[in-house]
Amino acid sequence: MAELTSLVNIGKEMARKLEAVDIRTPEQLAAEGAEQAFFRLKTLFPQVCLVHLYALEGAIRGVEFNSLPADRKRELKAFSDQLK
């Protein structure tokens, strides 16, 4: 079973936060999806921001967060804005 830190965009601190919301493996993150994982993070860590959401999506897709397609970034931003 791979570790969260084996994913692009996921460092030790992000992995620690994900584990705090009971997401412990890349498979769990993929099954949860970026939006739901971000929602769970936002509940426990209100300071997480849009970049964290981009990082989660990038981790699931296996790409750097700044390489996400513009249309997907817009969707993620709209989701994040709904949580404010």
Side-chain angles (χ1 to χ4, degrees):
M1 185 165 31
E3 302 219 358
L4 287 167
T5 54
S6 69
L7 298 172
V8 67
N9 306 321
I10 306 295
K12 289 180 182 180
E13 184 61 19
M14 177 67 98
R16 182 189 68 77
K17 287 177 179 173
L18 287 167
E19 289 169 1
V21 296
D22 205 30
I23 298 172
R24 302 182 184 286
T25 67
E27 296 80 13
Q28 286 178 310
L29 177 59
E32 196 74 28
E35 289 98 330
Q36 185 59 32
F38 182 73
F39 177 77
R40 289 170 66 176
L41 286 173
K42 193 79 167 161
T43 300
L44 192 58
F45 303 100
Q47 75 279 13
V48 295
C49 65
L50 181 60
V51 174
H52 291 89
L53 180 53
Y54 289 168
L56 293 169
E57 180 71 14
I60 291 168
R61 291 179 179 229
V63 300
E64 295 287 334
F65 72 91
N66 54 1
S67 297
L68 292 172
D71 61 331
R72 184 60 178 140
K73 283 184 174 180
R74 279 191 296 277
E75 291 170 356
L76 293 170
K77 182 173 182 339
F79 176 81
S80 176
D81 288 348
Q82 290 176 2
L83 300 180
K84 292 180 182 178

